[in-house]
Amino acid sequence: MNRSLHQADAQVYRIMQDELERQKTTLMLIPSENYASRAVMAAMGSVFTNKYAEGYPYKRFYNGCEFYDELEQLAIDRATELFGADHANVQLHTGSQANMATYYALLKPGDKIMALSVATGGHLTHGSPISFSGQFYESHFYGLDPDTDRLNYDMIMEAAKEVRPRLIIAGYSAYPRIIDFKRFREIADEVGAYLMADIAHISGLVAAEAHPTPVPYADVITSTTHKTLRGPRGALILCKQEYADQIDRAVFPGIQAGPLMQIIAAKAVCFKEAQEFGFREYQRQIVRNCQALGQALLEEGFTLVTGGTDNHLLLVDLRNKQITGREAADLMEAAGMVVNKNLIPGDPAPATETSGIRPGTPGLTSRGMKEPEMKLVGQWIARVIHEGRDNPEVLEEVRGQVQGLCEAFPIYEDL
Ligand code: DSN
């Protein structure tokens, strides 16, 4: 019982140390990732893992839940306060389950949903034919404006009038611009649809008012807690009071049973951290850093989808560089910069190859980096993509520069 992980399982401990070293010595450029605080991680690895607490605060199906009631209510209260929402459900294990619970609460199988497709920046659970969401519901998609690669609200209104969906989804995995949730509300009202905002990527920005909030406009808002919000791997749903019971019943007993109380503890910590002044400044710096990284890439001759960014991510169109997204991401990883390949709007390449990469700045900003470091990173990305193919010396040289930057902006120093 009292043995340390090192004593109990040397293999897992060793793998964990390797991963810690990887995180310390590489640049996290995947925009949906971040470094949770020591406090968040302490809550995740706590005694709260030992208890079943099916039900909701003060309405449990298990005995012995008095501290779990207090804990979950604290997390709920902090979430509603942070976002200014009427109601929060903090039991969702993942963003996909938050979306699933929302559909389950509001829709019947076969109802029409409308969103942006995965190929243009949406998410699998927004109606993709390979996800439950495209199989249990009749999915339709609005597009991006082909001239600007941005949301065009007149076009979305036209598409919605034609389809008359029951639910419209606003929220994306690879869209670098501001989302106008008020316009989405007008579109939903025009066709009598529910409006769901999936703010998984931008919830930290929203909490810090670095992106306009959907709270006054959306019926239901889903989010993960581990991306820009910088909490534990998990999710939450916010909604208007009139949907609170429906949402809660859809989560439990609808699609989940025992909540992960240790993760709910960590969510409570995360929501407290997000109310601190430093968090607001952090989110603003994420955006400034992303714009600086975009500028550095433009100066190196890269093409950015929509020409730049208003948020935490960039979508880089690599077609003028004669390299696929997969090849670019692999070269960058060899040089210590971990990014993900990504489809670009109208991508001629398959999802396994892609013509783009999707760098983001939440992780670099958590390390304390600012605009000058973004310029360096942009130059290193360019060097690796321009000169790194079949050139291990270049990759090694950039790897050394990356390592130096990581040492200058350390993480988890006491781990
Ligand atoms: N996996 C998330 C992302 O990287 O954007 C979406 O689920």
Side-chain angles (χ1 to χ4, degrees):
M1 271 295 272
N2 292 325
R3 288 182 299 165
S4 67
L5 175 62
H6 184 213
Q7 292 164 326
D9 190 333
Q11 281 172 291
V12 168
Y13 180 79
R14 195 269 304 155
I15 296 168
M16 190 190 291
Q17 291 308 113
D18 287 348
E19 170 57 9
L20 177 60
E21 187 62 13
R22 186 194 71 81
Q23 291 190 22
K24 284 183 171 184
T25 58
T26 57
L27 295 178
M28 176 191 276
L29 283 159
I30 293 176
S32 48
E33 296 180 356
N34 213 329
Y35 305 101
S37 70
R38 294 296 307 278
V40 163
M41 292 198 293
M44 279 193 270
S46 69
V47 291
F48 288 124
T49 198
N50 291 337
K51 184 91 189 84
Y52 261 115
E54 280 176 27
Y56 287 104
Y58 312 104
K59 290 173 284 184
R60 302 285 184 188
F61 288 82
Y62 285 77
N63 284 74
C65 285
E66 61 185 297
F67 302 117
Y68 296 79
D69 292 341
E70 188 182 353
L71 176 70
E72 186 171 348
Q73 193 59 52
L74 183 65
I76 290 168
D77 292 345
R78 286 181 178 172
T80 52
E81 193 184 333
L82 178 64
F83 289 99
D86 292 348
H87 180 73
N89 186 306
V90 296
Q91 293 195 358
L92 284 308
H93 303 331
T94 70
S96 293
Q97 281 173 300
N99 292 348
M100 179 184 262
T102 302
Y103 307 157
Y104 191 53
L106 301 180
L107 306 175
K108 292 194 295 299
D111 276 354
K112 293 178 188 173
I113 63 175
M114 187 170 226
L116 194 65
S117 70
V118 175
T120 37
H123 190 254
L124 277 175
T125 56
H126 295 176
S128 164
I130 57 170
S131 142
F132 79 93
S133 58
Q135 294 171 18
F136 297 171
Y137 305 100
E138 185 183 313
S139 52
H140 296 261
F141 300 101
Y142 51 82
L144 294 170
D145 187 320
D147 294 330
T148 62
D149 290 325
R150 294 185 189 222
L151 296 168
N152 176 323
Y153 298 91
D154 293 334
M155 284 174 49
I156 298 169
M157 177 71 94
E158 285 314 304
K161 279 183 179 168
E162 199 168 306
V163 171
R164 303 204 75 81
R166 190 87 184 105
L167 175 78
I168 295 176
I169 300 161
Y172 315 102
S173 296
Y175 185 68
R177 295 296 179 178
I178 297 284
I179 304 166
D180 188 340
F181 293 112
K182 185 165 181 286
R183 290 297 304 278
F184 268 109
R185 178 75 263 166
E186 289 161 8
I187 295 166
D189 285 345
E190 177 71 25
V191 300
Y194 295 114
L195 177 62
M196 183 187 105
D198 180 341
I199 61 167
H201 265 260
I202 57 169
S203 53
L205 303 181
V206 168
E209 298 177 337
H211 185 289
T213 177
V215 166
Y217 308 113
D219 298 298
V220 179
I221 298 166
T222 60
S223 181
T224 50
T225 46
H226 51 268
K227 297 189 175 95
T228 48
L229 204 49
R230 206 165 57 180
R233 191 156 290 277
L236 86 160
I237 296 178
L238 305 166
C239 67
K240 295 189 184 300
Q241 193 57 44
E242 63 188 292
Y243 304 115
D245 289 345
Q246 270 166 275
I247 288 290
D248 283 351
R249 276 198 305 274
V251 177
F252 171 84
I255 67 159
Q256 290 187 180
L260 307 177
M261 296 309 298
Q262 76 283 16
I263 302 298
I264 290 175
K267 287 174 188 171
V269 176
C270 150
F271 300 145
K272 181 169 187 295
E273 290 179 346
Q275 280 175 331
E276 289 163 5
F277 176 77
F279 189 80
R280 294 175 71 83
E281 181 47 28
Y282 164 60
Q283 297 293 333
R284 281 164 178 68
Q285 190 63 45
I286 288 176
V287 177
R288 289 195 290 268
N289 279 353
C290 207
Q291 290 168 340
L293 182 60
Q295 187 56 38
L297 291 172
L298 286 173
E299 285 165 15
E300 296 287 346
F302 284 87
T303 304
L304 304 181
V305 175
T306 79
T309 183
D310 301 323
N311 62 24
H312 64 302
L313 65 82
L314 299 160
L315 199 50
V316 185
D317 179 344
L318 294 169
R319 286 177 298 179
N320 66 336
K321 300 289 181 188
Q322 285 78 48
I323 191 168
T324 68
R326 183 188 57 75
E327 290 171 308
D330 288 349
L331 283 178
M332 284 175 62
E333 184 175 0
M337 298 182 284
V338 185
V339 75
N340 70 289
K341 62 181 175 288
N342 214 93
L343 292 168
I344 54 167
D347 204 324
T352 48
E353 205 65 31
T354 82
S355 302
I357 50 172
R358 183 187 65 156
T361 51
L364 302 190
T365 312
S366 284
R367 293 184 92 126
M369 295 180 194
K370 295 206 167 140
E371 288 89 334
E373 289 75 40
M374 297 306 110
K375 191 167 173 62
L376 283 178
V377 173
Q379 289 167 348
W380 295 340
I381 293 172
R383 176 126 199 259
V384 161
I385 290 177
H386 292 153
E387 302 170 36
R389 256 183 181 157
D390 306 318
N391 201 340
E393 289 82 27
V394 165
L395 299 181
E396 202 47 44
E397 198 184 313
V398 176
R399 182 80 186 86
Q401 291 169 311
V402 164
Q403 183 109 11
L405 191 62
C406 289
E407 280 162 18
F409 293 88
I411 50 158
Y412 302 134
E413 283 176 281
D414 50 344
L415 278 181

